[in-house]
Amino acid sequence: MASSSKKRNEMVNEAEEEEELEHFDDFTLASSWERFISEIEAVCRQWLASGPKNLLEKGAVPLGEPKNLYKVKSELKYAMKNYCMEYYFEISNAGKVVDWNCTSHDLQLSFGVKEFMVIAPQSASGVILDSPEASKLLSAVAIAFSNCSSLWPAFVPVHDPSRKAYIGIQSMGTVFTRRFEADLIASQVPVKLMHLEGLYELFVSKFAFSSSDLSTHLFRVHFTMKLTYKTLPYDDDNELQKSDSEITESGVDTVSDSRNKLQWDDDCPWSEWYTAEDPVKAFELIAMWEEKTVESSMEMAELENASIHEAQKWFIVPEFSSYLLSSNCYFSTYFDGLFVLIIFTFFFTRQRIDGPPEFNNDAILLCSMGDHMGNMVGFASQLRLLIDALAMSLEVQFMEDFVSVETSGSDKLKSSAVIPPPTVLDRVLKDLCHAGPGLISPQGGHKSSRTIKGAPLENLFAQFCLHSLWFGDCNIRAIAVLWIEFIREVRWCWEECQPLPRMPTNGTLDLSTCLVNQKLHMLAICIDKKRQQLDSQQDGNNSDSLSVEADDLVKEGLSDPSRAKERLVEESDSTSTSDGFHKSGTTIHRYSSTPQYDVTSANLESSNHKRRGSAGVVESMMLLNSHNYMHAPFTQDPPIMTEDMHEERLHAVEVLGDSFSFSAQLEKDILSSDMSAFKAANPDAVFEDFIRWHSPKDWEDDDSCTSSSSTVETGELKKKWPPRGRLSERMSDSGNSWRKIWNDAPPLPVSEQKPLMDPNREGEKILHYLETVPPHQLLEQMVCTAFRAAADTLNQTSFGGLKHMTTKMDQLYLTLASVLRPLQANKLPGDIEIIEDIRRLCVVFEHVEKLIMVAASLHRKFLQAPHLAQAIFVDFYDFYVGDWFVQEVKKRQEVRVKERDVITNMFVQPSANQSWRKVLSMGNLLNGHEPILREIVFSLRDRVDSSYHAPRNSWSHEQEIETHRMYICGTSNDLRVALSVTSCD
C-alpha cells in the first residue's frame, strides 16, 4: 500500500512538472498592447504614404469651419475597448501657425499646430476619465509615431467633455519633445487672472523658477491678443422699461407711441401693414493686436487700459435672426426672358456681383413647398391665406352667400372663419374711402410691374387688397364682408357725386390692369362728368359774364398766338384705316361738359359769322377761303371702354360678319362730333380745312405754286395765303364717307352736342358689375393685385442700391407675371392645380421678402459705411441662396480705419438693466462694454546650438524654437488655458 501511494505521488509530481513546462511565457510573441501599437503604426504609415491629395480622393471628410481642414479616421480595438483615431490635415500648409485672420480648429489655435491626430474611445462622452489609461494610450501612440518617423502631434481627450481638456505629445525629430496640456476653469475665476497682468505672471511662472537647460533670464515674452465684443440685442423688456419712464407729468402714458418710434422698420414701406423682427440681431466686433514683445507685467497693465482703436485690425461679424434660416430651398431658371417653374419648385441661384445672373439648372431640389413656409408674419404669409380664400370662392355664385346664414356650408365657414368687429371694419373703410382723388405716376413702380395684371399700388383697389390681407385672418367671410361694405361706400360716392378716393378722374383707361381697377377708374371719370353736368346747369345763369371772359380768351389768342398754342396738344401723325376713316393727326384735349360761348370773330372784315366753341388759334394754319386764322375747337372725349367692353365690340364684329362697316359706324359719331365742333369754331371753313387740321397726311402741299400767293401780315407774323395744296387720293374720291359726314354735320359746339358717352348709364352699369361679380373672378383679381401691390411695396424699400437685391427684385416680377398669367386668363374654374402653383409662389415671395429686410436693416445700420453693408449682404446672400445645408453665417468683414467710428457708435452705453454685471471685471472697455471673449497667446523662444543629437538638415546653427507657449481663452466667468512645453529628453 505504501509503495502504491508512493507511485501515485510520483505520477502527480510528474504531471505537475509537465503542466509547468506547457505554460511557460514566450516573450517572442507580441502582447495585446504591442499589437495595438502595431495597428496604430500601420494606419499611420498608410496615411503618411498616401499624402493629403490621395487622402482626399479616398474619402477624407471636409470640415465646415475651417474650410481648409479635412480628416480621416480609423477604428481600433484594445483590451475590450474600441478607439477611434482621427487625422486632421490641411491641403495648404502656407501661413502662420497662429493667424487670427483665419478660422482655425480649436486644437490648432490652442497648441499652435497645423496637422494633428486625436485618439479617443468610442463612448458616449468620447473622453478618457482614467489618468493611467490616458497616459498608456498616449505612450502607445508616441511609440507608433516614433517607429514610423511621424512628427504629428497626438492628443487624447481627458476629464469631462465640457472642460475640453487634452493631453498630448509630439516628437520634434531630434532630442526635443513637445508636451501639451489644456484645461478649463469653469468655476469662479480668480480676480488676478481676469486681468492681463495676472495672466502674464501665470505664463512666466511656468519657466522663470524652473531648472531648465534653456536660457530663461531674458523674459522677452511674445504676446498677441484678440478681443471680441458684441452689441446689445434688441430687447422688448428693456425698451418697455425705457418707455415706462417717459410718462408725462400730467399722467398721460406714452408707452405705445414711444414703442412705435423705437421699431427698427418705422420708415420702411411695409411698416404700414406689419412690423417685422429685425433680421440682424447683433454684431460681433473682433479687434486683433499683432505680435509684440513684452518684458514686464507693467506693460500688460498699460495695454489693458489702452484704447481698442490701437488694435491693428478690426473685423465685424453679423448675427442673423433664426427665422431667416427656415425654408430656404427653391429654384428658378431663366428661359426666353421669362422665369419658368421647374417641377413646381423654386430655388434662388447664385449670381456674380460683377456680371449677369447665372442659373444652375442642375440644382433641383424636390421638396414639398407647402411644408417649407417660414414662421415669419409678412406679406407672404397673408398671401397664402388669400390663396386659401380663392380656393373656397369656387363654392358659391355671389359674395353675399359667404355672409348669409342660409348658405349651405355656412356653419363650416363660421366655425373656421372669424369676422373682425365693426370698429375694425369702420377703421379700414375710413382709411380706404376718406382720401382724396389719386394722381398715379406711371414712373412710380417697377419697370416690370405692369406685366402683372393687377392695379397700381396707389389705386383704390390695390389698397383694398392690401387691407384684405390683414382684415381678420384673411378668410373668405371676412373678405366678403369687407367687399360688400366697400361697394356700399363706392355707391354712396356715385349717388352723392363725390370724388372716388385714390382714383384719377382723367386720362385713358389702362387695359393692362385688372378689370375691377378699370371699372373703378371709369366710374371715377363718370362721377367727374356727372358733377360737371350738375355744375354747368347751376351756372347757366351766369353765362353772360362767362361770355366776356371767353371773348377775352379769343382776343388773347389772336394777339399772342404763342400763348394760345400752349393750350393745345402737340401734333401727332395719324394712322389710316382700311375703311377710309382716318384718326386725327392733331390731338386736342377734349372737354365734354364745359359750357361753350358764342364769340364774334375778331376779324370783322372777313367774317360776320359767330364763332363758337373755340379753344384757341392754330398759329401755323389759315383758312383757305378767308384771311382768318384757323381755330382749334373744343371736342368731346372719345368714349372710354374697359376691357370687357372691347371684348363685346369684337364679339359684335364676329356676329355681324362685316368688321369694316361696323367699325366705321362706331367711329362715325366721334368723327361727326369733331366736324360739328370744327364748323362752329370756324364758320368760314371748308372740308379741306378740316382735313388739314384733323388728318394732315391727307393734305398734300404744293410748294411749286407759292409764287402767286400773297403775304398776310398779322403783327410780327407773315403767312402766305392762300395755302397751296390738294387732298389725298382717298379723300378726293367722290364717294368718300368723310365728305358725306361733313356735309351732314351741323355747326354745333360740344356744349350743344349729344354726349358720346352717357356717364349716368355707364356708372350704373359699373356698379351692377361690382355688386354681382362672381366670387372667384373677384378673388382672382385680388390675388394678382395683392401680389403686385406687395411686390411694389417691397420695391420701395431703400437698401442702398445693392446689385444682388436689384437683380432679385427683377426676377421676382418676372416670376410673378409668369405664374399668375393663368389667373389673368380666367382659367381657374377648369384647372384647380393653378392654386397649388400659386401657393408655391408664396415661398418664392417669402425668400425675397426676407432678403430685402436684411438689405434694409444693413443699409440703415451702415449709412456711413456702405462698403460694409455691401460686403455683409453679399456674404449672407451667397449663404442664403447657395448651400442651404450650412446652418449659420460666420464670415467676418474687415473694418477700415475710416469706418471704425461707425462701428464704435453701434456700441451705445449700456443701462443698468442691460449690463450683465454691476461691476465690470475685465479691461479694454468699448463705450462701457467689456469683451465677451478674450484670446491671448504668450510664447517664449530660445536659440538652440547645433549638436551631435541635432540633425543639420532640421536645425540650423542658432535656430530659434518656441520653448513655451500658452493660449488663454475666456471671460470673467470662465478661463481656458492650453500650455505646450518643449523639453530635451
Side-chain angles (χ1 to χ4, degrees):
M1 293 295 293
S3 60
S4 61
S5 60
K6 183 178 180 180
K7 290 180 179 180
R8 190 180 299 111
N9 292 334
E10 291 177 355
M11 292 176 62
V12 171
N13 293 334
E14 291 177 358
E16 292 177 354
E17 291 177 359
E18 291 178 357
E19 191 173 331
E20 291 178 0
L21 291 175
E22 292 176 358
H23 290 84
F24 70 94
D25 292 330
D26 187 358
F27 291 98
T28 62
L29 298 178
S31 63
S32 59
W33 188 65
E34 291 173 331
R35 287 193 297 270
F36 180 60
I37 295 175
S38 178
E39 292 179 6
I40 296 176
E41 180 181 345
V43 175
C44 182
R45 288 182 182 276
Q46 182 182 0
W47 288 345
L48 283 171
S50 298
K53 293 184 179 180
N54 291 330
L55 289 178
L56 284 179
E57 298 176 356
K58 294 179 179 180
V61 180
L63 301 182
E65 291 292 341
K67 296 182 178 179
N68 192 36
L69 193 63
Y70 299 83
K71 75 172 182 178
V72 291
K73 66 179 181 178
S74 179
E75 296 181 0
L76 306 173
K77 187 175 182 180
Y78 169 68
M80 303 302 293
K81 285 187 177 181
N82 295 325
Y83 294 91
C84 180
M85 187 169 63
E86 297 178 334
Y87 169 50
Y88 295 80
F89 63 94
E90 295 181 352
I91 299 300
S92 175
N93 289 326
K96 300 179 181 179
V97 176
V98 178
D99 190 358
W100 298 124
N101 295 330
C102 62
T103 306
S104 302
H105 190 273
D106 181 61
L107 292 178
Q108 289 179 320
L109 193 58
S110 298
F111 300 111
V113 297
K114 279 188 171 292
E115 52 184 358
F116 58 93
M117 194 190 72
V118 177
I119 184 168
Q122 289 184 328
S123 60
S125 63
V127 297
I128 299 175
L129 305 179
D130 185 26
S131 297
E133 181 185 0
S135 300
K136 186 176 182 180
L137 184 60
L138 195 60
S139 299
V141 175
I143 295 172
F145 281 12
S146 177
N147 294 339
C148 62
S149 301
S150 173
L151 302 181
W152 297 339
F155 300 99
V156 175
V158 294
H159 305 306
D160 187 79
S162 61
R163 293 169 60 174
K164 296 183 180 180
Y166 290 88
I167 60 173
I169 191 171
Q170 179 186 15
S171 173
M172 305 296 290
T174 60
V175 294
F176 297 103
T177 302
R178 294 180 69 186
R179 300 184 182 275
F180 309 98
E181 184 178 0
D183 206 347
L184 174 69
I185 304 176
S187 58
Q188 185 175 2
V189 179
V191 178
K192 185 177 181 179
L193 298 182
M194 295 181 184
H195 301 279
L196 296 181
E197 183 178 359
L199 297 175
Y200 172 80
E201 293 177 357
L202 173 65
F203 175 68
V204 172
S205 66
K206 299 300 179 181
F207 57 84
F209 306 105
S210 63
S211 57
S212 174
D213 295 336
L214 301 177
S215 176
T216 58
H217 62 279
L218 293 177
F219 296 156
R220 297 180 59 84
V221 176
H222 297 271
F223 164 83
T224 181
M225 180 172 64
K226 181 175 77 171
L227 299 178
T228 303
Y229 300 84
K230 187 175 182 179
T231 59
L232 293 173
Y234 180 80
D235 192 337
D236 292 335
D237 295 335
N238 293 334
E239 295 296 338
L240 181 59
Q241 293 175 5
K242 181 178 179 181
S243 299
D244 289 340
S245 62
E246 299 177 0
I247 300 179
T248 60
E249 295 181 358
S250 60
V252 179
D253 191 358
T254 60
V255 170
S256 58
D257 295 338
S258 300
R259 288 179 59 83
N260 290 334
K261 295 178 181 178
L262 293 173
Q263 298 296 332
W264 76 274
D265 59 350
D266 277 348
D267 57 343
C268 293
W270 64 78
S271 61
E272 180 182 357
W273 308 103
Y274 66 94
T275 297
E277 178 185 354
D278 195 340
V280 184
K281 303 298 294 182
F283 288 95
E284 289 184 1
L285 172 62
I286 301 175
M288 300 178 183
W289 278 260
E290 294 180 352
E291 185 177 273
K292 61 184 300 184
T293 302
V294 181
E295 297 184 356
S296 66
S297 59
M298 294 298 298
E299 295 184 35
M300 300 300 299
E302 294 175 0
L303 185 60
E304 183 173 316
N305 297 322
S307 172
I308 189 178
H309 288 272
E310 296 182 7
Q312 282 72 26
K313 292 184 178 181
W314 281 23
F315 292 88
I316 190 169
V317 180
E319 179 183 335
F320 295 100
S321 179
S322 59
Y323 75 83
L324 294 175
L325 304 179
S326 61
S327 68
N328 57 333
C329 52
Y330 58 96
F331 173 76
S332 60
T333 185
Y334 194 80
F335 178 74
D336 288 343
L338 295 175
F339 283 88
V340 183
L341 306 185
I342 303 297
I343 317 180
F344 305 124
T345 309
F346 302 81
F347 301 107
F348 276 133
T349 57
R350 194 179 302 273
Q351 299 171 3
R352 299 175 182 173
I353 189 173
D354 57 349
E358 54 184 18
F359 303 91
N360 182 6
N361 294 330
D362 297 328
I364 300 178
L365 178 64
L366 299 179
C367 61
S368 174
M369 305 308 288
D371 298 334
H372 286 81
M373 284 294 294
N375 297 325
M376 185 188 74
V377 176
F379 283 130
S381 62
Q382 303 307 115
L383 287 170
R384 186 177 180 85
L385 297 176
L386 183 61
I387 295 171
D388 295 338
L390 171 62
M392 299 188 65
S393 65
L394 300 171
E395 300 178 0
V396 297
Q397 296 182 352
F398 302 99
M399 294 298 292
E400 289 81 358
D401 295 339
F402 289 109
V403 185
S404 175
V405 180
E406 292 79 10
T407 304
S408 59
S410 179
D411 295 338
K412 179 181 178 181
L413 288 174
K414 288 184 177 181
S415 62
S416 60
V418 178
I419 300 177
T423 54
V424 178
L425 178 62
D426 293 341
R427 177 180 57 80
V428 173
L429 293 176
K430 181 179 180 181
D431 184 69
L432 278 173
C433 301
H434 290 188
L439 298 178
I440 309 303
S441 174
Q443 289 83 16
H446 191 272
K447 60 182 180 180
S448 301
S449 179
R450 290 170 56 89
T451 60
I452 306 172
K453 197 173 182 62
L457 177 61
E458 302 86 354
N459 278 16
L460 180 60
F461 186 61
Q463 294 296 312
F464 170 82
C465 294
L466 290 178
H467 275 288
S468 299
L469 295 178
W470 308 97
F471 187 68
D473 56 353
C474 195
N475 62 81
I476 187 62
R477 293 192 67 228
I479 294 174
V481 170
L482 182 60
W483 174 255
I484 294 172
E485 295 300 324
F486 170 72
I487 296 304
R488 289 176 182 174
E489 293 290 335
V490 172
R491 175 168 283 281
W492 179 87
C493 293
W494 164 255
E495 294 175 351
E496 300 296 329
C497 290
Q498 296 297 320
L500 200 60
R502 304 179 188 273
M503 294 302 298
T505 58
N506 51 17
T508 58
L509 300 184
D510 187 358
L511 300 183
S512 65
T513 62
C514 63
L515 184 58
V516 172
N517 183 74
Q518 297 176 38
K519 294 289 186 181
L520 292 175
H521 188 181
M522 185 173 178
L523 182 62
I525 296 176
C526 292
I527 293 176
D528 184 66
K529 291 182 179 296
K530 181 180 178 182
R531 189 177 68 254
Q532 289 180 11
Q533 289 179 353
L534 295 177
D535 293 342
S536 62
Q537 294 176 2
Q538 295 176 359
D539 298 340
N541 298 329
N542 301 328
S543 60
D544 295 338
S545 60
L546 294 177
S547 298
V548 176
E549 182 180 352
D551 187 43
D552 294 339
L553 176 64
V554 175
K555 291 180 180 180
E556 176 186 347
L558 293 174
S559 61
D560 191 356
S562 61
R563 292 187 58 185
K565 185 179 180 180
E566 295 178 356
R567 307 183 61 174
L568 303 178
V569 185
E570 60 180 344
E571 297 182 359
S572 60
D573 294 338
S574 61
T575 55
S576 59
T577 56
S578 59
D579 61 341
F581 287 101
H582 210 264
K583 294 184 179 180
S584 173
T586 304
T587 304
I588 309 298
H589 184 72
R590 303 169 185 268
Y591 299 83
S592 59
S593 58
T594 319
Q596 308 299 321
Y597 314 104
D598 298 343
V599 297
T600 304
S601 173
N603 193 346
L604 298 177
E605 296 178 359
S606 61
S607 176
N608 292 323
H609 297 286
K610 288 185 178 181
R611 190 186 307 279
R612 298 178 298 171
S614 172
V617 176
V618 181
E619 179 183 354
S620 60
M621 293 186 181
M622 298 184 68
L623 298 178
L624 293 175
N625 294 341
S626 67
H627 293 274
N628 293 333
Y629 279 101
M630 183 182 295
H631 284 246
F634 288 106
T635 57
Q636 293 194 59
D637 289 326
I640 55 177
M641 291 186 293
T642 58
E643 185 178 8
D644 59 336
M645 297 172 67
H646 283 284
E647 292 177 355
E648 290 178 1
R649 287 186 62 183
L650 294 177
H651 179 69
V653 169
E654 294 176 358
V655 172
L656 293 177
D658 188 357
S659 60
F660 169 76
S661 301
F662 186 75
S663 299
Q665 184 63 34
L666 290 176
E667 295 182 1
K668 179 180 178 180
D669 294 339
I670 301 176
L671 186 60
S672 176
S673 174
D674 291 346
M675 289 180 175
S676 296
F678 187 82
K679 283 185 176 181
N682 301 278
D684 298 333
V686 294
F687 176 69
E688 287 77 3
D689 293 324
F690 178 77
I691 294 300
R692 291 167 58 212
W693 170 73
H694 193 276
S695 181
K697 277 192 173 183
D698 287 310
W699 177 260
E700 300 175 357
D701 292 326
D702 187 3
D703 297 333
S704 62
C705 301
T706 58
S707 58
S708 61
S709 300
S710 61
T711 301
V712 179
E713 297 186 6
T714 304
E716 298 179 355
L717 301 178
K718 294 184 178 181
K719 299 295 180 182
K720 294 181 179 180
W721 185 89
R724 297 295 180 179
R726 59 183 177 275
L727 293 175
S728 63
E729 182 178 355
R730 74 186 187 98
M731 286 296 176
S732 59
D733 291 342
S734 58
N736 183 269
S737 58
W738 280 43
R739 186 177 290 276
K740 182 179 180 180
I741 297 174
W742 171 267
N743 295 332
D744 296 339
L748 295 175
V750 294
S751 60
E752 300 178 11
Q753 295 180 13
K754 179 182 179 181
L756 295 175
M757 183 188 74
D758 185 358
N760 294 287
R761 182 182 69 252
E762 298 298 334
E764 289 295 338
K765 291 171 62 177
I766 293 171
L767 288 172
H768 176 74
Y769 167 80
L770 296 176
E771 292 171 346
T772 60
V773 58
H776 74 274
Q777 292 185 11
L778 174 63
L779 267 296
E780 288 174 4
Q781 300 179 63
M782 286 184 62
V783 169
C784 294
T785 302
F787 269 105
R788 173 177 173 176
D792 288 341
T793 302
L794 295 180
N795 188 59
Q796 294 178 352
T797 306
S798 175
F799 48 78
L802 295 173
K803 184 176 180 181
H804 282 66
M805 198 64 252
T806 302
T807 304
K808 197 57 62 180
M809 287 301 300
D810 295 342
Q811 294 178 4
L812 175 64
Y813 277 100
L814 295 178
T815 305
L816 292 177
S818 177
V819 180
L820 296 176
R821 188 169 291 112
L823 289 185
Q824 303 170 9
N826 195 20
K827 296 181 179 180
L828 180 61
D831 190 357
I832 307 300
E833 292 183 358
I834 297 176
I835 295 180
E836 297 302 322
D837 298 343
I838 304 175
R839 282 198 177 101
R840 298 181 183 100
L841 186 61
C842 293
V843 181
V844 183
F845 198 95
E846 181 186 12
H847 284 264
V848 178
E849 193 172 8
K850 290 180 180 179
L851 282 173
I852 205 166
M853 287 181 182
V854 174
S857 179
L858 292 174
H859 175 63
R860 281 155 177 74
K861 292 176 174 62
F862 295 101
L863 287 174
Q864 305 301 324
H867 166 75
L868 283 178
Q870 170 81 15
I872 294 174
F873 180 78
V874 170
D875 176 56
F876 174 80
Y877 180 89
D878 291 340
F879 150 76
Y880 194 74
V881 305
D883 188 0
W884 46 81
F885 299 103
V886 181
Q887 295 300 318
E888 60 181 352
V889 186
K890 284 297 183 182
K891 187 175 181 180
R892 54 195 180 190
Q893 304 296 333
E894 185 171 2
V895 181
R896 301 172 182 175
V897 176
K898 62 181 181 181
E899 299 170 337
R900 291 189 177 186
D901 291 337
V902 177
I903 305 302
T904 302
N905 294 333
M906 297 174 63
F907 289 85
V908 296
Q909 289 285 348
S911 62
N913 293 329
Q914 292 171 333
S915 298
W916 288 101
R917 290 176 173 270
K918 298 297 182 181
V919 180
L920 299 175
S921 304
M922 302 172 65
N924 301 109
L925 301 182
L926 175 59
N927 288 349
H929 294 257
E930 66 178 357
I932 62 170
L933 183 65
R934 178 170 57 189
E935 298 174 81
I936 302 173
V937 174
F938 291 111
S939 62
L940 183 67
R941 298 165 190 167
D942 205 347
R943 295 177 180 177
V944 179
D945 296 336
S946 59
S947 63
Y948 175 79
H949 299 283
R952 295 186 182 274
N953 58 352
S954 298
W955 301 99
S956 62
H957 180 65
E958 295 184 353
Q959 181 175 354
E960 193 175 58
I961 66 171
E962 189 176 68
T963 59
H964 292 76
R965 184 184 187 276
M966 179 180 287
Y967 169 76
I968 302 172
C969 175
T971 64
S972 57
N973 296 321
D974 53 66
L975 187 68
R976 184 169 183 264
V977 180
L979 178 66
S980 63
V981 178
T982 303
S983 60
C984 180
D985 294 338

